[in-house]
């Protein structure tokens, strides 16, 4: 049963939990503790947009090299519009959720066509762009343009539910709406203080506090700048909040993939646009489903349309995507007539070409493995 919350009552209760007190504490903490990240050294909305999209579902440390390379190669909206699809996929390869990068290019085209190549400043205009939701639009408006637009992501949700003692599932409509209202009250309180960057810093302070201090496990409440006003801390409920639903059980999935080489070239294929990891390249593979114990020979015949002369186990790649724990067994397949592989199924590429193509991370690991083979280093 969702807990009914009145945001104004929450900020007023205890006679001290009020934004006028909390906001300066959060701003001062952010000034002294924020990590020095490249997207924090700019007010360029394009750069902030790129960082925000990359940071969705992805850790800061993982994003850093991707962000630097992207900004080096595609520093402007114009350069993103002109970039080839294979280039943007290669720059994104490894970050996953590739619809994000395709939406970015669509959004960039809209900015050029509808906004004369100027990043729009109005919240509604930004929200109307492909792939941009309420959180990202709020982040761009506040960080790049200093507007009092709230943000609410996983980190901010955790901080707000604990600070204000908000029970119930934060993903439920009513609770979520209350949390958005609390986030708005805080950022609007920052806007009335003296200083140009307050809205940007307040929103980033909430994100940063959630990332560094108010962490999901073992939060560092002892060093938290708002601990003496935090409801969860004072009531001993930190471990209970936020009341997120249980995660779906993990599911094991097993794939087999085949590395076929002929005269120094490897056979790879491109995934169709409409599937997961669409547009990316991969080694021919299939999922072994239904718990049936299908051997690699049967799988090879099904995937390649013909029987290889021999199969040798090469490596096993393990990785996790959302709730799936995936094991991919990779075999080297020898074929006396590789020409039997239909050209329409894929294409033959040198190792150098493979290194330039975008692969999902599991298949990229196979390319890296091939690059380390003695035959490719002589
Ligand atoms: Fe989070 Fe602890 Fe700070 Fe409360 S006191 S906001 S639970 S870190």
């Amino acid at each position: 049963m969702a807990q009914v919350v009145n945001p104004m009552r929450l900020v007023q209760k205890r006679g001290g939990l009020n934004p006028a007190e909390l906001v300066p504490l959060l701003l001062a903490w952010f000034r002294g503790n924020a990590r020095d990240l490249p997207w924090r050294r700019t007010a360029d909305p394009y750069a902030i947009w790129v960082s925000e999209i990359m940071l969705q579902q992805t850790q800061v440390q993982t994003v850093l090299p991707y962000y630097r390379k992207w900004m080096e190669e595609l520093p402007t909206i114009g350069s993103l519009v002109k970039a080839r699809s294979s280039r943007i996929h290669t720059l994104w390869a490894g970050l996953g959720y590739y619809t994000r990068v395709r939406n970015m290019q669509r959004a960039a085209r809209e900015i050029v066509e509808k906004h004369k190549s100027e990043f729009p400043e109005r919240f509604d205009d930004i929200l109307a762009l492909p792939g941009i939701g309420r959180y990202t639009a709020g982040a761009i408006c506040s960080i790049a343009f200093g507007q009092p637009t709230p943000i609410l992501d996983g980190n901010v949700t955790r901080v707000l539910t604990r600070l204000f003692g908000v029970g119930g599932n934060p993903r439920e409509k009513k609770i979520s709406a209350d949390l958005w209202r609390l986030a708005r009250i805080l950022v609007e309180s920052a806007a009335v203080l003296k200083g140009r960057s307050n809205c940007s810093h307040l929103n980033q302070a909430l994100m940063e506090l959630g990332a560094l201090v108010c962490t999901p496990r073992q939060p560092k409440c002892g060093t938290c700048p708002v601990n003496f006003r935090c409801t969860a801390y004072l009531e001993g409920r930190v471990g209970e909040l936020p009341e997120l639903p249980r995660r779906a059980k993990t599911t094991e999935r097993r794939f087999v993939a085949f590395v076929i080489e002929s005269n120094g070239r490897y056979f790879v294929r491109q995934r169709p646009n409409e599937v997961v990891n669409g547009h990316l390249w991969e080694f021919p593979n299939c999922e072994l489903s239904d718990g049936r114990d299908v051997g690699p020979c049967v799988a090879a015949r099904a995937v390649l349309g013909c029987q290889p002369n021999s199969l040798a186990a090469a490596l096993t790649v393990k990785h996790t995507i959302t709730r799936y724990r995936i094991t991919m067994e990779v075999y080297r397949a020898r074929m006396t007539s590789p020409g039997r592989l239909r050209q329409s199924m894929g294409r033959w590429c040198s190792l150098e070409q493979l290194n330039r193509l975008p692969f999902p991370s599991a298949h990229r690991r196979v390319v890296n493995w091939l690059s380390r083979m003695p035959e490719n280093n002589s």
Side-chain angles (χ1 to χ4, degrees):
M1 181 73 177
Q3 181 169 320
V4 178
V5 188
N6 177 335
M8 272 324 287
R9 280 191 56 193
L10 280 173
V11 294
Q12 284 160 356
K13 82 175 181 178
R14 290 176 193 287
L17 202 58
N18 70 67
E21 180 185 33
L22 290 174
V23 167
L25 289 171
L26 290 164
L27 290 174
W29 177 83
F30 182 75
R31 276 195 295 274
N33 296 276
R35 287 167 291 180
D36 179 19
L37 301 170
W39 48 86
R40 290 203 172 133
R41 293 186 213 141
T42 176
D44 173 8
Y46 170 73
I48 289 157
W49 173 45
V50 171
S51 71
E52 286 298 336
I53 301 290
M54 284 187 173
L55 285 163
Q56 286 169 11
Q57 321 276 349
T58 314
Q59 305 261 339
V60 165
Q61 287 309 318
T62 310
V63 164
L64 280 169
Y66 284 92
Y67 173 83
R68 291 198 181 102
K69 192 145 188 9
W70 181 285
M71 293 307 293
E72 227 172 81
E73 295 206 19
L74 307 173
T76 59
I77 291 166
S79 56
L80 172 55
V81 169
K82 284 189 210 133
R84 294 164 73 110
S85 172
S86 60
R87 190 69 210 125
I88 60 167
H89 281 88
T90 303
L91 287 169
W92 205 267
L95 283 174
Y97 307 99
Y98 292 88
T99 6
R100 290 184 294 172
V101 74
R102 289 192 281 279
N103 276 335
M104 281 180 71
Q105 196 169 44
R106 286 174 53 216
R109 285 190 194 119
E110 274 198 34
I111 293 172
V112 168
E113 285 158 19
K114 291 191 189 160
H115 302 282
K116 299 183 180 152
S117 300
E118 286 293 321
F119 207 102
E121 284 192 34
R122 286 185 56 241
F123 177 86
D124 288 344
D125 291 337
I126 298 176
L127 190 63
L129 294 169
I132 295 193
R134 189 175 174 187
Y135 164 83
T136 308
I140 296 169
C141 283
S142 59
I143 300 171
F145 303 120
Q147 296 171 19
T149 46
I151 53 154
L152 189 70
D153 65 352
N155 283 334
V156 179
T157 295
R158 192 164 54 254
V159 172
L160 295 184
T161 52
R162 288 174 174 170
L163 188 54
F164 295 98
V166 180
N169 178 358
R171 292 185 191 142
E172 273 179 28
K173 213 168 153 193
K174 171 78 182 69
I175 308 280
S176 167
D178 288 331
L179 291 170
W180 275 105
R181 259 176 250 136
L182 284 170
R184 179 174 292 285
I185 290 169
L186 292 177
V187 76
E188 286 180 349
S189 304
V192 299
L193 297 177
K194 235 172 121 186
R196 275 195 68 234
S197 312
N198 287 338
C199 295
S200 161
H201 286 180
L202 186 275
N203 277 350
Q204 292 189 78
L206 292 171
M207 294 190 232
E208 196 75 338
L209 196 70
L212 301 181
V213 179
C214 195
T215 47
R217 279 172 294 280
Q218 299 177 326
K220 302 167 191 71
C221 299
T223 59
C224 176
V226 288
N227 58 8
F228 66 105
R229 294 295 182 214
C230 174
T231 308
Y233 185 55
L234 297 173
E235 294 179 357
R237 295 166 59 207
V238 175
E240 293 165 27
L241 298 171
E243 290 179 19
L244 292 166
R246 278 177 181 272
R247 278 173 184 253
K249 265 176 70 181
T250 53
T251 307
E252 303 280 346
R253 294 175 71 181
R254 197 174 141 228
F255 287 75
V256 280
F258 302 98
V259 174
I260 310 149
E261 188 245 323
S262 174
N263 295 324
R265 293 182 172 264
Y266 299 90
F267 194 74
V268 287
R269 66 187 187 188
Q270 192 169 28
R271 291 176 67 79
N273 261 346
E274 61 285 359
V275 301
V276 177
N277 292 335
H279 205 89
L280 272 68
W281 291 79
E282 63 180 10
F283 292 91
N285 69 89
C286 72
E287 180 167 11
L288 303 179
S289 54
D290 308 335
R292 279 177 294 147
D293 198 12
V294 177
C297 290
V298 176
R301 211 168 34 240
V303 173
L304 306 172
C306 54
Q307 185 68 53
N309 297 75
S310 69
L311 284 174
L315 74 157
T316 301
V317 178
K318 288 182 184 274
H319 65 127
T320 303
I321 300 176
T322 59
R323 67 190 181 87
Y324 299 111
R325 256 209 306 261
I326 297 169
T327 303
M328 184 170 83
E329 292 155 21
V330 184
Y331 291 84
R332 283 197 98 144
R334 304 232 174 265
M335 304 179 77
T336 37
S337 345
R340 285 168 66 195
L341 289 173
R342 286 190 309 276
Q343 206 61 35
S344 59
M345 277 173 59
R347 89 182 193 211
W348 293 93
C349 292
S350 67
L351 193 56
E352 206 187 330
Q353 288 169 320
L354 293 187
N355 275 311
R356 285 199 300 269
L357 288 177
F359 283 90
S361 54
H363 290 259
R364 170 60 58 199
R365 277 153 76 179
V366 180
V367 176
N368 293 344
W369 172 79
L370 282 171
S371 305
R372 291 195 299 273
M373 286 286 105
E375 73 231 37
N376 291 319
N377 285 297
S378 50

